Amino acid sequence: MLVLGIESSCDETGVALVEFEAASTTPPRLLADALHSQISMHQAYGGVVPELASRDHIRRVLPLTREVLAKSGRPLTEIDLIAYTQGPGLAGALLVGAGVAASLAAALDRPSLAVHHLEGHLLSPFLSADPPEFPFVALLVSGGHSQLMRVDAVGSYELLGETIDDAAGEAFDKSAKLLGLPYPGGPHLAKLAEQGNPEAFALPRPLLHSGKPDFSFAGLKTAVLTQVKKLGEAPSEQQKADLAASTQAAIVESLLKKSLLALKETGLKRLVVAGGVGANKSLREQLNAACAKRGVRVHYPELNLCTDNGAMIAMAAALRLQRGMGKPLPAGSGFEVRPRWALDAVN
Ligand code: KG4
Ligand code: ZN
């Protein structure tokens, strides 16, 4: 079976083709994927402009689909199902992917399947050479979400804890902006942090001792703003690097401590890290070291599949279909999007 996956929830247009055997436990295989990032377009505005994002998805999605088909050597007519991101995300951006998926499904007389964006992130390590086994604790850290989940199987997600305010990626991005770094700030702040001292500034780690696997990052940006103001008009490169390193250390410590707490509470010995912030080197190093000490195995998606992509959407659809889960809609059924959609609602 061939499934085409389309991702358009935010500022990346992703398309991918995954092949799988129905009613089998053989892992699905990624045949080809293609991605267009809108980062350079939004950079001038310091963040994603939703209307520009939607229009660009319209421009990119069909050329990317053609690219994926050409790379895989498979014709459009061989596709058995079209999967697309239904939410959460920007409404207009989601409508583009969903509309194209429903139209392709109608034209080819094939079913379509709506996929939850975060389920895509969560299952993206199944695209790696060393896929995890169930059950596991998942740390889901992206621009819009910071959650710890207990995952017992595909479609069995229990929320253990989440952020009460900003997401981890948002904390990276907002702090980076205060430091004058380009959007999206996460990777830029991480790079600058490599030259800095993580103990130079004492920044808050709210809820660190709450005893629950929850997070709070909103206070961090206020603290960073205070430090930026104190540094004045022309901070030195070293001061900026020190503040970047201290900010990263505060975010990483919260993510690390709460992941360890979730592992302890559940008694599980496997951790899956997914979402854009999962690409952070310092987070990976610290999780790897702490988990190795505790006999916990950590799984990550391939670096290029940490941020948004079509492969994770096609993969999530394939894993669901293999298990007889998910509700593919027949061709011509229309479509809807869910800009706000909790992951545990898909169980
Ligand atoms: O999962 P993702 O691509 O999109 C959402 O669904 O939100 O995550 C994007 C987020 C952004 O906040 C970005 O700054 C952050 O992931 N990010 C990073 C790194 N790479 C991406 N944050 C810290 N360090 C990185 N290396
Ligand atoms: Zn995402």
Side-chain angles (χ1 to χ4, degrees), residues 23-208:
S24 152
T25 50
T26 312
R29 232 164 31 95
L30 177 65
L31 298 186
D33 66 335
L35 187 79
H36 175 78
S37 169
Q38 304 177 351
I39 285 176
S40 58
M41 183 180 76
H42 296 297
Q43 225 151 32
Y45 307 93
V48 179
V49 183
E51 181 59 23
L52 293 183
S54 312
R55 290 186 206 181
D56 201 57
H57 285 307
I58 294 174
R59 273 193 293 272
R60 307 291 174 178
V61 67
L62 289 180
L64 288 171
T65 305
R66 281 189 207 105
E67 185 183 330
V68 162
L69 292 171
K71 274 190 196 164
S72 68
R74 310 292 277 266
L76 189 61
T77 47
E78 273 187 23
I79 292 171
D80 295 293
L81 179 135
I82 326 281
Y84 63 93
T85 305
Q86 188 176 40
L90 301 170
L94 289 165
L95 279 168
V96 177
V100 168
S103 311
L104 270 178
L108 297 170
D109 195 19
R110 298 284 194 280
S112 62
L113 182 67
V115 174
H116 195 294
H117 180 81
L118 296 181
E119 183 171 44
H121 275 304
L122 203 71
L123 300 177
S124 58
F126 285 90
L127 286 158
S128 70
D130 177 30
E133 277 167 34
F134 298 107
F136 53 78
V137 168
L139 171 67
L140 212 67
V141 272
S142 69
H145 295 84
S146 296
Q147 302 184 328
L148 279 157
M149 317 272 314
R150 180 193 166 104
V151 181
D152 283 294
V154 174
S156 175
Y157 310 121
E158 182 196 341
L159 183 67
L160 301 170
E162 63 183 331
T163 179
I164 59 162
D165 41 54
D166 290 355
E170 211 175 342
F172 267 107
D173 295 345
K174 287 177 175 170
S175 304
K177 203 170 180 176
L178 293 169
L179 282 162
L181 298 171
Y183 161 86
H188 294 282
L189 189 142
K191 187 143 203 317
L192 183 60
E194 284 174 16
Q195 318 300 325
N197 170 10
E199 287 165 14
F201 294 87
L203 297 174
R205 285 127 165 97
L207 300 185
L208 196 63

Side-chain angles (χ1 to χ4, degrees), residues 7 9-10 12 88 117-118 121 141-145 275-276 306-309 312:
E7 155 63 32
S9 67
C10 190
E12 257 107 28
H117 180 81
L118 296 181
H121 275 304
V141 272
S142 69
H145 295 84
C306 275
T307 45
D308 294 347
N309 62 85
M312 68 183 195

